[in-house]
């Protein structure tokens, strides 16, 4: 238990016995007794948790997180809370990014962009502890991104990464709550950018490709369904099984997920001629299937746009993603969804959200399908139930159409015999 003492000048002091059996004092200065009692209750909670070696409750943790520097330093001096680190936003972000050596180059780029936005929005010298869940910091950051004229999915992605940064700060106990927790970070598919690449467009682009390597690079996306460029660059000739007509595709994007480090993809008939040509032209001892255009900084998208211009094909949105999505749509029309997803390395939910397209062929198939003969008007609920449980192609038996529903179908029952009960009653007689 703690106690409050007051001197002649009105200065209040909280005293308590710590876990080492020594008496500690916290000088509060001139405070109303109500405020002093509030602090006293928190001191008792902190001291009890320290003695029992347990975590403090959520409410007390939030109270400690909101303390000003002066009172926090007094509590730290008597061992009730750890000394507060005055870590700035810039120092925290630099330290976090330095720790994440496991990130791939593209992810590191995304993290750098989100960090730059946070620094531009809040300033590099803002203390981490000054962020709080009940402030408008999260909303302020989103409004800042909107002001940069970024796309909705880009804004969501930056918010998602900011949420990750401050989740780490909370784990390190630099914060009580994540101020960005309520921000929406899920990236949604932009259906305005959905496009189905026709076989005619595909053939014209292949014809305009400058060499066999570019033709193979294009068809690996269009007919192999590979992710570009990571899975193209990881594909080796040793992964190609000509006898079994299949190849092992290694996926850098999903290699951190157990069981998704690689997948087996058929060498589809549309793909095989281009793969064979590239094999015939490959130099002796070549390791990778895509042997050219491998240097860092090569922009395949720009080069593909030049090839499409030469072919007279208008560039579609998200050039390589829509090639892969087109292949998933084609294969789903022929095979079960789980089989196609295994071949392309995604999930049915992801396929429905981001890959599958509705094509003109789907509409043509719908309007050309036979509709069947029109149904007759239903006479009564009994007939309704019967019709709903059979197909339209079934024939109906009309031989009993004139039979009354009950009298025509009922069968007469025999009369019960008139046998009186014997005087001895129902129970059997005893000997």
């Amino acid at each position: 238990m703690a106690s409050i003492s007051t001197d002649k000048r009105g200065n209040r002091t909280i005293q308590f016995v710590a876990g080492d059996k020594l008496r500690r004092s916290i000088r509060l200065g001139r405070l109303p007794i109500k405020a002093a009692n509030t602090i006293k209750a928190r001191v008792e909670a902190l001291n009890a948790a320290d003695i029992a070696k347990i975590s403090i409750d959520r409410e007390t943790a939030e109270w400690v997180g909101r303390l000003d520097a002066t009172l926090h330093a007094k509590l730290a001096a008597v061992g009730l809370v750890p000394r507060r680190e005055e870590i700035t936003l810039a120092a925290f972000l630099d330290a976090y990014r330095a720790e994440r050596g496991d990130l791939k180059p593209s992810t590191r780029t995304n993290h750098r962009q989100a960090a730059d936005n946070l620094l531009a929005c809040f300033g590099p010298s803002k203390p981490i502890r000054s962020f709080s869940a009940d402030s408008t910091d999260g909303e302020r950051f989103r409004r800042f991104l909107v002001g940069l004229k970024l796309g909705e999915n880009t804004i969501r992605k930056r918010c998602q990464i900011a949420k990750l940064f401050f989740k780490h700060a909370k784990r390190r106990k630099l914060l009580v709550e994540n101020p960005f927790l309520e921000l929406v970070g899920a990236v949604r598919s932009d259906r305005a950018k959905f496009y189905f690449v026709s076989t005619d467009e595909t053939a014209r682009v292949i014809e305009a490709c400058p060499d066999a390597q570019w033709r193979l690079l294009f068809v690996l996306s269009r007919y192999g369904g590979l992710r570009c460029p990571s899975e193209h660059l990881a594909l080796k000739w040793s992964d190609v099984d000509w006898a079994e007509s299949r190849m092992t595709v290694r996926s850098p994007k999903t290699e951190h997920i157990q069981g998704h480090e690689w997948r087996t993809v058929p060498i589809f008939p549309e793909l095989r001629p281009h793969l064979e040509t590239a094999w015939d032209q490959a130099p002796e001892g070549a390791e990778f299937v895509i042997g050219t255009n491998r240097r860092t900084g090569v922009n395949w998208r720009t080069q593909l746009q030049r090839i499409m211009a030469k072919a007279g094909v208008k560039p579609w949105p998200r050039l390589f993603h829509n090639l892969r999505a087109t292949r998933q749509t084609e294969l789903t029309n022929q095979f079960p969804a789980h089989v196609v997803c295994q071949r392309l390395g995604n999930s049915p939910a992801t396929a429905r959200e981001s890959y599958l397209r509705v094509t003109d062929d789907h509409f043509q198939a719908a309007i050309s399908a036979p509709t069947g003969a029109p149904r007759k008007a239903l006479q009564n609920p009994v007939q309704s139930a019967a019709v709903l449980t059979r197909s339209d192609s079934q024939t109906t038996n009309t031989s009993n159409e004139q039979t009354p529903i009950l009298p025509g179908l009922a069968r007469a029952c025999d009369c019960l015999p008139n046998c009186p009960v014997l005087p001895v009653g129902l129970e059997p007689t005893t000997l």
Side-chain angles (χ1 to χ4, degrees):
M1 297 293 292
S3 61
I4 299 176
S5 62
T6 306
D7 63 17
K8 295 179 180 180
R9 296 182 179 182
N11 295 312
R12 304 192 190 277
T13 302
I14 296 178
Q15 293 185 325
F16 66 97
V17 178
D20 56 4
K21 308 300 182 182
L22 297 178
R23 183 174 294 276
R24 302 279 193 271
S25 298
I26 304 172
R27 291 181 172 82
L28 301 179
R30 293 183 181 181
L31 279 182
I33 188 62
K34 184 176 181 179
N37 281 325
T38 299
I39 298 174
K40 171 179 169 289
R42 299 301 183 191
V43 167
E44 290 174 342
L46 290 168
N47 190 41
D50 181 61
I51 293 173
K53 305 303 180 186
I54 60 175
S55 300
I56 59 177
D57 62 272
R58 179 189 179 91
E59 187 177 350
T60 301
E62 292 177 350
W63 178 81
V64 171
R66 293 192 298 267
L67 288 178
D68 60 42
T70 301
L71 182 54
H72 190 280
K74 291 180 179 181
L75 295 179
V78 295
L80 292 178
V81 296
R83 295 190 179 277
R84 179 178 282 168
E85 299 178 79
E86 286 295 340
I87 299 179
T88 64
L89 177 61
F92 167 73
L93 292 175
D94 288 344
Y96 176 79
R97 292 171 55 204
E99 292 174 6
R100 296 303 305 271
D102 58 317
L103 300 180
K104 299 186 185 307
S106 59
T107 305
R108 284 200 297 270
T109 299
N110 291 335
H111 281 211
R112 177 184 56 78
Q113 292 170 340
D116 290 344
N117 292 150
L118 285 167
L119 294 173
C121 179
F122 299 106
S125 59
K126 181 178 175 67
I128 281 292
R129 66 177 180 82
S130 66
F131 289 89
S132 62
D134 56 358
S135 69
T136 59
D137 289 333
E139 297 175 5
R140 177 183 170 187
F141 183 60
R142 180 175 174 82
R143 288 195 300 269
F144 174 81
L145 296 177
V146 171
L148 296 179
K149 308 298 183 183
L150 301 176
E152 177 61 23
N153 275 343
T154 302
I155 292 173
R156 287 170 173 244
K157 188 65 177 179
R158 302 279 169 88
C159 289
Q160 182 185 72
I161 296 173
K163 190 185 304 186
L164 176 66
F165 289 157
F166 283 87
K167 180 181 179 181
H168 179 70
K170 179 184 175 183
R171 190 181 299 118
R172 286 187 54 192
K173 301 189 184 305
L174 301 176
L175 286 172
V176 176
E177 290 296 334
N178 188 337
F180 296 89
L181 189 61
E182 300 300 324
L183 290 182
V184 178
V187 177
R188 62 187 182 186
S189 296
D190 185 356
R191 296 189 176 272
K193 295 183 179 180
F194 279 17
Y195 190 86
F196 185 87
V197 184
S198 68
T199 54
D200 176 66
E201 290 171 314
T202 300
R204 290 160 61 187
V205 173
I206 292 174
E207 182 66 24
C209 286
D211 52 40
Q213 280 280 292
W214 253 104
R215 286 190 289 272
L216 179 59
L217 192 152
F218 183 78
V219 298
L220 281 173
S221 293
R222 176 59 180 85
Y223 290 122
L226 272 63
R227 294 183 179 94
C228 183
S230 59
E231 294 180 351
H232 295 64
L233 294 176
L235 188 63
K236 300 180 180 181
W237 287 116
S238 58
D239 297 326
V240 180
D241 186 343
W242 298 103
E244 297 295 331
S245 195
R246 63 181 62 185
M247 55 187 182
T248 300
V249 175
R250 306 177 193 282
S251 179
K253 181 177 181 179
T254 59
E255 64 182 1
H256 63 285
I257 305 174
Q258 186 175 3
H260 294 266
E261 301 86 354
W262 56 270
R263 66 184 187 275
T264 303
V265 177
I267 302 178
F268 296 100
E270 303 94 335
L271 173 60
R272 190 177 186 98
H274 301 283
L275 197 60
E276 290 177 342
T277 300
W279 168 251
D280 293 338
Q281 296 181 4
E284 187 71 25
E287 180 181 8
F288 294 100
V289 173
I290 300 298
T292 60
N293 299 309
R294 297 187 61 86
R295 67 183 184 277
T296 303
V298 173
N299 192 329
W300 289 1
R301 184 177 182 276
T302 300
Q303 180 61 19
L304 180 56
Q305 287 177 324
R306 296 193 186 103
I307 294 171
M308 295 172 71
K310 178 181 177 182
V313 175
K314 182 180 178 180
W316 51 79
R318 305 188 68 187
L319 291 178
F320 288 100
H321 176 82
N322 274 314
L323 289 173
R324 175 172 153 86
T326 296
R327 190 52 171 167
Q328 180 136 29
T329 301
E330 287 178 340
L331 295 176
T332 304
N333 292 336
Q334 305 175 47
F335 305 101
H338 71 281
V339 174
V340 180
C341 289
Q342 195 281 331
R343 297 290 180 251
L344 271 73
N346 54 23
S347 67
T350 300
R352 288 193 301 270
E353 176 67 20
S354 304
Y355 285 86
L356 297 180
R357 311 306 193 228
V358 177
T359 68
D360 291 339
D361 290 341
H362 293 133
F363 283 101
Q364 292 299 325
I367 63 178
S368 62
T371 57
R375 290 191 175 103
K376 295 182 179 180
L378 301 179
Q379 299 298 321
N380 54 56
V382 176
Q383 286 180 320
S384 299
V387 172
L388 290 174
T389 55
R390 68 169 185 260
S391 65
D392 290 341
S393 61
Q394 288 178 305
T395 58
T396 56
N397 185 2
T398 59
S399 60
N400 293 327
E401 285 183 356
Q402 303 303 321
T403 304
I405 294 178
L406 289 178
L409 299 177
R411 185 181 62 182
C413 297
D414 296 332
C415 295
L416 293 175
N418 186 9
C419 300
V421 179
L422 297 177
V424 295
L426 295 174
E427 299 296 329
T429 58
T430 56
L431 299 176

